[in-house]
């Protein structure tokens, strides 16, 4: 009997490992019921948006229209990526739109009016973002000023500085033939590079999954089945390859959107694989518990505010490149709304402690899809504001209900 015992153990272990595959669907619905929605609302939203707008105007899903939408996604999406950082801490920065407009004005004034090299003008604009973020952190950490009030003051101050440095003309046209402007308007990835980039996410998921699977099996723990791992990586790769192929029917994949996605990947790695990222979630979940565990809470707030303002400044630089101008209108209008809405719609909680860098990418695609579709329908700006505001309200309601469900299931 003892000779057969190892074989029985191995059989039991194999059954236990295979149960993950057979029960994966049930586990998925259990997560949904417990409030762990993941990207499901975004996927459902994109499907509904695509069906509605393409039925009303077939141009919506035309390759070149989608390419233009990706160009626009990169500018506001960069700002939204910074918003994710402060929302993870349960804070807010209302001045990101003004920060982006101010950065855009800095680039135009230093480059065109004062003759600075483009890299130096961009560096000065980004440095301004670092200084503003550090000032917000100082007001919050040392004086206890709520981020809502500090950033609201910054919104007004930077809007005034933007108007002041632009002067009475109010607008500066950037040289259209410059590489800086071409980057925001016409520069497209080569086909082979776009296809190669589309293969990398699936390959990364497969390699990381295999590594995690080996470690868990070596520790005699249940692991993700190979079938599920391969299907997940294969589905993502097939979807991305199809997207690249379809975009290449038009102009192709913009380099500016590629830069945005690269920064999302870097931010995602920092949030999920580093001590700093774990500290961000810990502070956002429970500040006092994080402080008692030895985390430097003030430093975490400093990093979040600096990153938020810096990425807002970078978004303003990309906006100047996209529009080939620095003007008084840069950063105004619905930029603030869209940046914050994108982060929330993508899955970042307003209550802190939950979210990811991918929220900025997924959310801004939803926001720009709505904006683009409404523009194609020739609807007025008033209707666009109301509809976008309604979508944001729905996203917050979903977030609140999901949080309540997580609390009732002990997962908050």
């Amino acid at each position: 009997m003892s000779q057969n015992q190892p074989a029985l153990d191995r059989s039991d272990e194999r059954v236990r490992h295979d149960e993950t595959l057979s029960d994966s669907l049930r586990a998925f619905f259990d997560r949904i019921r417990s409030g762990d929605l993941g990207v499901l609302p975004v996927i459902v939203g994109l499907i509904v948006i695509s069906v509605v707008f393409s039925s009303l105007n077939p141009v919506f899903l035309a390759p070149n229209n989608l390419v233009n939408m990706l160009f626009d996604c990169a500018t506001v999406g960069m700002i939204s990526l910074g918003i994710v950082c402060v929302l993870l801490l349960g804070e807010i920065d209302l001045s990101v739109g003004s920060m982006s407009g101010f950065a855009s004005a800095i680039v135009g004034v230093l480059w065109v009016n004062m003759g600075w090299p483009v890299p130096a003008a961009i560096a000065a604009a980004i440095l301004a973002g670092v200084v503003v973020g550090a000032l917000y952190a100082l007001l919050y950490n040392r004086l206890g000023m709520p981020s809502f009030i500090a950033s609201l003051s910054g919104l007004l101050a930077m809007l005034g500085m933007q108007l002041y440095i632009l002067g009475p003309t109010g607008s500066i046209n950037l040289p259209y033939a410059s590489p800086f402007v071409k980057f925001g308007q016409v520069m497209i990835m080569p086909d082979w590079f776009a296809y190669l980039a589309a293969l990398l996410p699936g390959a990364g998921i497969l390699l990381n999954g295999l590594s995690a699977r080996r470690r868990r099996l070596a520790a005699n723990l249940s692991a993700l089945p190979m079938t599920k791992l391969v299907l997940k990586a294969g589905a993502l790769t097939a979807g991305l390859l199809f997207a690249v192929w379809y975009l290449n029917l038009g102009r192709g994949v913009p380099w500016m959107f590629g830069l945005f996605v690269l920064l999302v990947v870097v931010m995602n790695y920092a949030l999920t694989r580093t001590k700093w990222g774990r500290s961000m979630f810990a502070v956002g979940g429970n500040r006092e518990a994080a402080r008692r565990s030895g985390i430097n809470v003030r430093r975490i707030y400093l990093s979040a505010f600096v990153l938020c303002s810096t990425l807002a400044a970078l978004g303003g630089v990309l906006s100047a490149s996209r529009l080939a101008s620095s003007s008084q209108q840069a950063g105004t209008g619905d930029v603030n709304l869209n940046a914050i809405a994108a982060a929330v719609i993508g899955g970042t909680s307003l209550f802190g402690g939950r979210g990811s860098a991918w929220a900025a990418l997924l959310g801004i695609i939803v926001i720009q899809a709505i904006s683009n579709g409404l523009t194609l329908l020739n609807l007025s700006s008033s209707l666009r504001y109301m509809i976008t505001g309604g979508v944001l309200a729905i996203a917050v309601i979903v977030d609140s209900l999901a949080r309540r469900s997580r609390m009732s299931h002990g997962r908050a």
Side-chain angles (χ1 to χ4, degrees), residues 12-305:
D12 291 342
E13 179 183 330
R14 184 170 59 253
V15 170
R16 186 181 60 188
H17 292 161
D18 291 344
E19 284 177 353
T20 306
L21 177 60
S22 62
D23 296 341
S24 59
L25 188 60
R26 185 174 61 186
F28 171 75
F29 287 112
D30 287 341
R31 290 196 300 271
I32 297 299
R33 284 194 296 269
S34 65
D36 188 5
L37 301 179
V39 299
L40 182 62
V42 177
I43 294 175
V44 172
L46 283 175
I47 292 174
V48 172
I49 291 168
S50 300
V51 171
V52 170
F53 284 128
S54 61
S55 62
L56 295 174
N57 191 332
V59 175
F60 178 75
L61 290 180
N64 278 328
N65 184 60
L66 296 181
V67 171
N68 289 331
M69 193 168 69
L70 293 184
F71 270 111
D72 295 332
C73 281
T75 57
V76 182
M78 199 70 72
I79 304 173
S80 183
L81 186 58
I83 287 290
V84 169
C85 295
V86 292
L87 287 184
L88 284 175
L89 300 180
E91 302 297 333
I92 192 64
D93 186 345
L94 298 177
S95 68
V96 287
S98 295
M99 182 70 250
S100 68
F102 182 45
S104 171
I106 290 175
V107 171
V109 169
L110 295 182
W111 177 25
V112 177
N113 290 0
M114 302 182 65
W116 284 34
V118 176
I122 294 174
I126 294 175
L127 180 61
V130 174
V131 172
V132 170
L135 178 59
Y136 290 159
L138 176 65
L139 294 174
Y140 182 88
N141 287 328
R142 299 296 181 182
L143 303 179
M145 181 181 288
S147 59
F148 180 91
I149 300 300
S151 59
L152 183 59
S153 303
L155 182 154
L156 298 173
M158 281 184 286
L159 180 58
M161 289 188 287
Q162 177 183 354
L163 299 178
Y164 177 78
I165 66 174
L166 286 173
T169 59
S171 179
I172 300 174
N173 293 325
L174 307 181
Y176 184 79
S178 65
F180 176 71
V181 173
K182 288 182 178 179
F183 180 77
Q185 295 192 347
V186 297
M187 289 187 67
I188 299 295
M189 295 181 185
D191 290 357
W192 66 268
F193 187 87
Y195 281 116
L196 178 62
L199 293 174
L200 294 179
I205 288 178
L206 185 60
L207 293 176
N208 288 335
L210 290 174
S211 177
R213 177 181 169 82
R214 283 195 298 267
R215 290 195 303 269
R216 293 185 65 84
L217 291 178
N220 198 26
L221 298 172
S222 61
L224 189 69
M226 278 294 299
T227 305
K228 186 176 180 180
L229 179 61
V230 172
L231 285 176
K232 183 179 179 181
L236 178 61
T237 301
L240 292 176
L241 287 175
F242 174 79
V244 170
W245 170 80
Y246 191 71
L247 292 172
N248 283 338
L249 295 179
R251 294 165 59 192
V253 183
W255 275 111
M256 189 161 74
F257 184 74
L259 173 63
F260 170 48
V261 174
L262 176 63
L263 289 183
V264 170
V265 172
V266 172
M267 181 67 75
N268 179 72
Y269 179 86
L271 289 174
T272 58
R273 299 297 182 90
T274 66
K275 179 181 177 181
W276 171 80
R278 292 189 292 271
S279 299
M280 287 279 290
F281 285 103
V283 173
N286 190 318
R287 174 177 175 170
E288 182 59 23
R291 185 188 67 80
R292 290 175 180 269
S293 67
I295 295 175
N296 190 328
V297 174
R298 288 185 173 181
R299 187 176 298 172
I300 293 299
Y301 278 101
L302 172 64
S303 65
F305 282 117

